[in-house]
Amino acid sequence: GAGVSQSPSNKVTEKGKDVELRCDPISGHTALYWYRQRLGQGLEFLIYFQGNSAPDKSGLPSDRFSAERTGESVSTLTIQRTQQEDSAVYLCASSLGGSVNEQFFGPGTRLTVL
Amino acid sequence: GDSVTQMEGPVTLSEEAFLTINCTYTATGYPSLFWYVQYPGEGLQLLLKATKADDKGSNKGFEATYRKETTSFHLEKGSVQVSDSAVYFCALGRQGGSEKLVFGKGTKLTVNP
């Protein structure tokens, strides 16, 4: 019954380290999205999952970014060799999919790369 | 590609004032349009939506009308309250394909008592 959850809520890392961000969507939601919000900017789309396949990865900014999803459940966004420009709030959303349904957002993970 | 432009903030109003936050979009075809709101310390949540031209979305006293001729979806409220203080995001989405949302940069609204 809970909403979308994300962990950790905050992550501070050193430049060059890898990080993993987790998203637990609402149960039964087949569509899952990752967005990024850098300071003073709007949300940027990163990747879309329908089930465990990712038909749209067009927003991933570089090959350092990857994501996977297990069935219609948890998703993990991995950033390798983090850079300072990766600092942002990473938001996950889920929806019923199939049409332009309401997307339900998690609270986000604030990533700071030192 | 698709894009959304919304008025820059921050916007500061007194309680009971009239609110307009402008939003225009660039897109081919007929996208769906949304306003999302982020209250302090909370996640983004859908405020209202419209899926075709001339539709009016409304919720919690807020309204926005999908105007294809002016490619706009301006958010309005007749009398704002302190509790309306939040960041408001205009967004568009398309049926079919990834249905990802394209967002504006957000407008921070502060309502003073």
Side-chain angles (χ1 to χ4, degrees):
Chain A
V4 177
S5 61
Q6 293 185 246
S7 60
S9 55
N10 278 287
K11 177 71 176 178
V12 180
T13 190
E14 293 180 348
K15 178 181 172 181
K17 295 287 180 76
D18 298 351
V19 295
E20 282 191 356
L21 311 180
R22 176 186 169 109
C23 172
D24 283 272
I26 293 172
S27 177
H29 280 191
T30 59
L32 186 147
Y33 306 80
W34 284 97
Y35 295 88
R36 176 172 73 173
Q37 184 177 24
R38 288 188 280 193
L39 189 64
Q41 303 296 312
L43 279 74
E44 305 169 68
F45 166 77
L46 297 178
I47 187 169
Y48 156 67
F49 285 93
Q50 179 62 41
N52 63 2
S53 66
D56 189 350
K57 307 178 184 179
S58 62
L60 294 177
S62 76
D63 59 8
R64 295 187 296 103
F65 287 71
S66 63
E68 61 180 25
R69 186 179 185 195
T70 306
E72 293 183 356
S73 184
V74 173
S75 175
T76 303
L77 177 69
T78 301
I79 309 173
Q80 296 179 308
R81 306 181 302 283
T82 52
Q83 303 295 312
Q84 289 185 331
E85 62 263 28
D86 299 335
S87 296
V89 177
Y90 290 82
L91 291 164
C92 175
S94 70
S95 78
L96 289 171
S99 64
V100 189
N101 286 300
E102 176 180 356
Q103 293 186 18
F104 292 82
F105 283 80
T109 293
R110 182 176 297 278
L111 174 66
T112 303
V113 182
L114 301 176
Chain B
D2 297 345
S3 67
V4 174
T5 303
Q6 59 181 107
M7 65 185 284
E8 303 231 349
V11 174
T12 302
L13 295 173
S14 297
E15 207 164 23
E16 299 184 2
F18 183 84
L19 169 71
T20 300
I21 300 178
N22 290 337
C23 171
T24 57
Y25 67 91
T26 300
T28 56
Y30 301 91
S32 295
L33 300 173
F34 305 83
W35 277 99
Y36 276 79
V37 59
Q38 187 171 31
Y39 297 104
E42 299 184 17
L44 272 168
Q45 54 188 275
L46 180 66
L47 179 60
L48 53 85
K49 70 177 183 182
T51 58
K52 61 183 188 295
D54 299 326
D55 268 3
K56 178 187 285 188
S58 60
N59 186 24
K60 299 182 180 179
F62 291 88
E63 294 183 340
T65 301
Y66 188 158
R67 301 285 188 202
K68 181 120 181 99
E69 63 276 14
T70 54
T71 61
S72 65
F73 193 55
H74 304 322
L75 182 68
E76 296 182 336
K77 186 174 185 181
S79 176
V80 293
Q81 305 300 311
V82 172
S83 57
D84 294 326
S85 297
V87 181
Y88 293 81
F89 293 89
C90 186
L92 71 80
R94 295 187 173 279
Q95 187 163 347
S98 72
E99 295 148 19
K100 66 188 179 188
L101 295 175
V102 176
F103 284 87
K105 291 187 178 182
T107 303
K108 182 176 182 179
L109 170 67
T110 300
V111 180
N112 294 317

